[in-house]
């Protein structure tokens, strides 16, 4: 079968080693072979950003990235604590929905999709003293915008507020300040910048938050339960064993390639190559590259073309691109350069861009 390269923001194109690892063996999750694997994955996850294992727990649990977001909020916000949520895309809005579903008192600062978050407005809200925690998306995949995580962390620290981050589409490829005292938890997934397979959500959380004796809001996704069981070489429920096998191989690959800074550099080079090829055809970024992540860029859809035709043109040539979400579906499309994309793939992609936008 001809190679199809995924240019959607996860699941990503796998390396051969990761694809093979996923089905390399059958494991019972109550046997030491799996529990050693689980421990190695936990250590690998902590290692990506050199998190101090005395301060941080990495908790993998079966589910998609949304489960990581939900487990993070539901497991760490104490009764009567109030949350400020920053929304400038689909995933910020999802953080707010999660807070609402779990009955967590929350207010939002809302921006148009793609708009930058205004630090002064955040500062003013946090200065009110009403909030115990700030929840935000790092890379807002709706538009490719990389939100100002360091600035928000400083504001949180200044006001004694915990910062909780959806890093689902940035963990493994963008700088995340785990040493910053305000950063309290980060949601991630195996199948985006880490290049694993789908099915494994991850939350990195400060151990102090797990010790808070918070009554569980969920049987399945209570992080304190997961962390305690994993720490004593166990697991509360049947885990996605194959996703562990794949993530173990993917983490080894990430380290061998030079860690997240090398991945950041690779994604950036790929994204710039794509931007250049699109610019040659008169297709301009929808959001400025300087404000975008390394992992995904959004582009304006030429008014003479229809997304479905463009999508199908790429698909015939072996590439899956990604539509704009909701109200943006007519005006922009997205190209992610996450995943194991080779130089050969980029050559073919440049040709595909030239052909699809030829007119
Ligand atoms: C992909 C993504 C998620 C999670 O999506 P799932 O479909 O649940 O895996 C959450 N936040 C961001 C920023 C994402 O890009």
């Amino acid at each position: 079968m001809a190679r199809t390269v995924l240019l959607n923001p996860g699941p990503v194109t796998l390396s051969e080693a990761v694809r093979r690892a996923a089905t390399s063996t059958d494991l019972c999750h109550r046997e030491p072979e799996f529990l050693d694997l689980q421990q190695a994955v936990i250590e690998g996850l902590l290692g990506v950003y050199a998190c101090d294992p005395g301060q941080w727990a990495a908790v993998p649990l079966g589910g998609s990235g949304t489960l990581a977001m939900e487990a993070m909020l539901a497991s760490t916000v104490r009764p009567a604590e109030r949350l400020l949520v920053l929304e400038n895309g689909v995933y910020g809005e999802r953080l707010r929905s999660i807070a609402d579903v779990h009955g967590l008192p929350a207010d939002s600062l809302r921006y148009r999709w793609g708009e930058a978050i205004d630090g002064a407005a955040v500062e003013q809200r946090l200065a009110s003293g009403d909030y115990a925690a700030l929840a935000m998306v790092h890379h807002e995949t709706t538009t490719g915008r990389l939100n100002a995580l360091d600035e928000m962390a400083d504001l949180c620290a200044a006001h004694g507020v915990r910062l909780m981050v959806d890093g689902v589409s940035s963990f493994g490829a963008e700088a995340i300040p785990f040493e910053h005292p305000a950063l309290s938890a980060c949601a991630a997934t195996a199948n985006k910048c880490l290049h694993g397979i789908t099915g494994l959500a991850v939350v990195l959380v400060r151990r102090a938050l797990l010790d808070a004796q918070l009554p569980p809001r969920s049987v399945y996704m209570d992080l304190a339960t997961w962390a305690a069981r994993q720490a004593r070489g166990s697991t509360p429920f049947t885990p996605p064993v194959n996703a562990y096998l794949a993530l173990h191989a993917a983490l080894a690959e990430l380290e061998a390639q030079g860690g997240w800074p090398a991945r950041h550099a690779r994604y950036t080079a790929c994204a710039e190559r794509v931007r250049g090829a699109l610019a040659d055809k008169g297709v301009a970024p929808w959001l400025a590259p300087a404000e975008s992540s390394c992992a995904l860029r959004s582009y304006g859809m030429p008014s003479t073309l229809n997304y479905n035709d463009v999508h199908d043109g790429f698909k015939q040539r072996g590439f899956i691109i990604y539509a704009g979400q909701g109200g943006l579906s007519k005006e922009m499309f997205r190209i992610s350069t996450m995943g194991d994309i080779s130089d050969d793939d980029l050559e073919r992609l440049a040709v595909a861009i030239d052909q699809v936008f030829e007119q």
Side-chain angles (χ1 to χ4, degrees):
M1 205 169 71
R3 178 171 166 87
T4 295
V5 175
L6 302 180
L7 303 175
N8 49 286
V12 297
T13 299
L14 303 174
S15 72
E16 262 321 301
V18 170
R19 191 176 293 119
R20 248 184 280 117
T23 54
S24 55
T25 185
D26 301 320
L27 293 177
C28 168
H29 64 294
R30 301 290 175 204
E31 294 294 323
E33 290 76 13
F34 173 75
L35 297 164
D36 290 348
L37 172 67
Q38 176 177 257
Q39 186 54 32
V41 165
I42 288 171
E43 286 167 17
L45 289 167
L46 289 168
V48 176
Y49 290 91
C51 291
D52 172 2
Q55 295 285 317
W56 287 92
V59 186
L61 68 172
S64 81
T66 302
L67 185 99
M69 298 162 73
E70 190 158 3
M72 173 175 78
L73 293 189
S75 304
T76 63
V77 181
R78 298 177 194 110
E81 282 188 336
R82 203 166 183 83
L83 203 60
L84 182 64
V85 182
L86 306 182
E87 302 177 22
N88 62 347
V90 167
Y91 298 101
E93 293 176 7
R94 188 170 299 176
L95 283 170
R96 176 59 197 261
S97 304
I98 290 168
D100 291 346
V101 162
H102 289 276
L104 312 177
D107 297 313
S108 294
L109 277 172
R110 293 204 174 89
Y111 299 90
R112 273 200 321 277
W113 289 3
E115 200 180 337
I117 288 162
D118 170 17
V122 175
E123 158 100 83
Q124 193 185 21
R125 290 294 195 100
L126 296 184
S128 69
D130 291 345
Y131 302 104
L134 178 75
M136 68 178 285
V137 177
H138 184 202
H139 168 208
E140 184 44 93
T141 323
T142 312
T143 59
R145 177 176 283 283
L146 194 65
N147 284 322
L149 188 56
D150 290 326
E151 182 191 357
M152 298 307 142
D154 286 343
L155 292 176
C156 285
H159 297 285
V161 168
R162 302 197 300 276
L163 176 58
M164 305 211 281
V165 178
D166 170 355
V168 172
S169 62
S170 57
F171 189 90
E174 296 284 356
I176 301 177
F178 282 96
E179 70 297 338
H180 198 293
L183 186 57
S184 300
C186 179
T189 181
N191 65 276
K192 293 197 184 188
C193 307
L194 293 178
H195 296 188
I197 68 169
T198 51
L200 200 50
V202 176
V203 184
L204 281 89
V205 58
R206 288 211 182 250
R207 291 190 181 281
L209 276 178
L210 295 178
D211 297 339
Q213 299 297 317
L214 174 68
R217 292 193 175 91
S218 158
V219 170
Y220 181 75
M221 62 181 157
D222 180 55
L223 291 179
T225 302
W226 280 92
R229 292 291 287 272
Q230 290 173 342
R232 56 186 151 91
S234 176
T235 175
F237 309 106
T238 311
V241 172
N242 304 81
Y244 274 91
L245 289 166
L247 182 57
H248 187 243
L251 287 166
E253 227 169 56
L254 175 62
E255 193 182 354
Q257 289 166 357
W260 76 261
R263 188 149 291 174
H264 180 88
R266 172 68 185 169
Y267 283 5
T268 304
C270 293
E272 282 300 300
R273 180 92 197 270
V274 170
R275 187 179 64 76
L278 286 168
D280 287 345
K281 309 308 283 183
V283 179
W286 185 87
L287 186 71
E291 295 171 82
S292 301
S293 76
C294 63
L296 177 139
R297 303 282 180 84
S298 52
Y299 293 94
M301 180 57 82
S303 56
T304 51
L305 294 176
N306 156 303
Y307 174 76
N308 290 330
D309 296 338
V310 171
H311 168 273
D312 294 352
F314 277 109
K315 189 164 183 177
Q316 278 160 20
R317 292 166 176 83
F319 297 95
I320 304 296
I321 66 164
Y322 217 44
Q325 272 159 304
L328 297 179
S329 64
K330 288 210 161 46
E331 69 180 88
M332 62 103 118
F333 64 97
R334 295 174 290 171
I335 292 190
S336 165
T337 43
M338 290 173 193
D340 193 57
I341 298 174
S342 68
D343 291 339
D344 251 21
D345 294 329
L346 287 174
E347 285 301 328
R348 283 196 302 124
L349 179 57
V351 172
I353 287 171
D354 195 49
Q355 293 172 346
V356 170
F357 290 103
E358 191 58 63
Q359 50 168 294

